[in-house]
Amino acid sequence: MGHEDAPTAWEERAAGQATPFRDVRVTGRLAVAGLLLAGAAWVVRGVWEARLALAGEPASGPPDQGGGVHRPLTALEDSYHLVTSLGGGAVLICALLFLSWVVRLRDNARALSGRASKYAGIWVYAGWIVPVVNLWFPRGIVADAFRGSAPGRRLPASVNVWWGLWLLGMLSGVGIVYEDSTDEIIARAYTGVWPLLASDAAVVGAAVAGAFAVRAVTAVQVARMREAAAPRLPQPV
């Protein structure tokens, strides 16, 4: 990440005292990797949905026949189940890596600003799943940590792009958060694939924008920690 690869100046002060900061460079890199992994998984998912649309629905109808009856899956439908399962695993890995980064980001922001975070720690996790608050809490937590790290600095635009695309993918009902079963998604691909592909594009865009946001926020905090940990020269009398 450019200048982030320099030695960790905040590990110890010149006087040999340990600093209160936690290195966010590694967790930031891992979070970026997790986001790109999830984005790649959704690209593959979109490709499979396009393949389903091009293949067309079998004469036997959709996989879910209604009334609890499910016909045997075709080879393509079966592979789509595998793709969605692998995609779910990629999203889980991404979530764990991203949350690990956010936790360290908040801790460092608190040490730099000397004030408590605006959001209680439980919201780092619950903020993603509690209805209504999940529309703004996760972005708010990242923004609050950024402002605590660099007061007066403008929030990177990538943070807002990431969150806007995430909401678009989530609220579309066919993105990462949805209630339909995989078989129902397959039926949608047969009858109208474009909403699915639009939602996939939003999720992929959110992953890419999120990677840029993590890099930008991490870089600003690392610079502030270096500044705070640098030895202070005695002032001339």
Side-chain angles (χ1 to χ4, degrees):
M1 291 190 188
H3 64 270
E4 290 183 44
D5 292 327
T8 54
W10 59 85
E11 289 182 353
E12 290 188 346
R13 294 184 187 276
Q17 296 178 343
T19 74
F21 306 131
R22 305 177 68 187
D23 192 347
V24 289
R25 297 179 308 165
V26 173
T27 53
R29 292 191 190 103
L30 291 174
V32 167
L35 284 161
L36 296 180
L37 175 65
W42 244 252
V43 169
V44 174
R45 178 185 174 122
V47 169
W48 248 252
E49 288 163 356
R51 290 182 63 193
L52 287 165
L54 290 173
E57 186 174 82
S60 53
D64 187 351
Q65 304 278 292
V69 177
H70 292 259
R71 65 164 170 77
L73 298 175
T74 66
L76 183 57
E77 292 168 348
D78 197 45
S79 64
Y80 182 72
H81 273 264
L82 177 60
V83 164
T84 56
S85 296
L86 293 176
V91 169
L92 177 60
I93 292 171
C94 174
L96 294 174
L97 294 176
F98 188 85
L99 291 176
S100 176
W101 171 73
V102 171
V103 168
R104 291 197 172 205
L105 189 77
R106 290 178 73 253
D107 289 346
N108 290 335
R110 187 163 53 244
L112 285 166
S113 65
R115 64 170 176 82
S117 302
K118 180 179 178 180
Y119 301 86
I122 186 62
W123 291 115
V124 172
Y125 310 97
W128 293 90
I129 57 177
V130 175
V132 182
V133 301
N134 63 355
L135 298 178
W136 75 88
F137 268 34
R139 176 201 171 277
I141 290 168
V142 173
D144 181 61
F146 177 84
R147 295 185 181 109
S149 302
R153 289 282 297 270
R154 187 172 183 177
L155 186 70
S158 53
V159 174
N160 291 326
V161 174
W162 156 65
W163 192 244
L165 289 172
W166 165 262
L167 288 180
L168 183 60
M170 181 178 72
L171 297 178
S172 67
V174 290
I176 287 179
V177 180
Y178 58 87
E179 296 181 356
D180 288 348
S181 68
T182 303
D183 284 347
E184 289 171 326
I185 295 295
I186 290 173
R188 287 192 185 187
Y190 287 139
T191 59
V193 74
W194 291 111
L196 286 172
L197 296 181
S199 179
D200 292 338
V203 173
V204 173
V208 174
F212 279 103
V214 170
R215 285 175 59 91
V217 172
T218 300
V220 169
Q221 188 174 83
V222 166
R224 283 283 292 112
M225 290 191 296
R226 286 201 179 107
E227 180 184 332
R232 297 180 180 178
L233 298 176
Q235 298 295 321
V237 179

